[in-house]
Amino acid sequence: MGAVVKALLLARYTLVIHNGMKVTSEAESWTLDFATQLRKIDAALQGAGIDTTKPMLAPVEW
């Protein structure tokens, strides 16, 4: 698997984990929304032949 595809998969995993998370800073709260970024990453991965409908595995390096 190419380095660009691996980087996109890592970015996708990270955004999926944090998407929808409620954050608070300086007494203001909001929900993180990475839907647009995830759609763009999915389109790029699908263009590379990666099935983005399968469950993701955690990116563990041994």
Side-chain angles (χ1 to χ4, degrees):
M1 188 177 313
V4 172
V5 170
K6 284 183 181 180
L8 286 171
L9 287 169
L10 177 60
R12 183 175 187 266
Y13 181 84
T14 303
L15 291 177
V16 164
I17 294 300
H18 291 91
N19 194 41
M21 218 179 244
K22 185 176 180 180
V23 294
T24 303
S25 177
E26 298 182 10
E28 297 282 333
S29 294
W30 65 94
T31 301
L32 297 175
D33 181 4
F34 296 114
T36 300
Q37 292 82 2
L38 287 166
R39 279 193 297 275
K40 289 179 182 180
I41 291 171
D42 283 354
L45 287 170
Q46 290 166 2
I50 305 295
D51 183 1
T52 59
T53 63
K54 292 183 179 178
M56 290 184 296
L57 299 175
V60 176
E61 293 187 30
W62 299 97

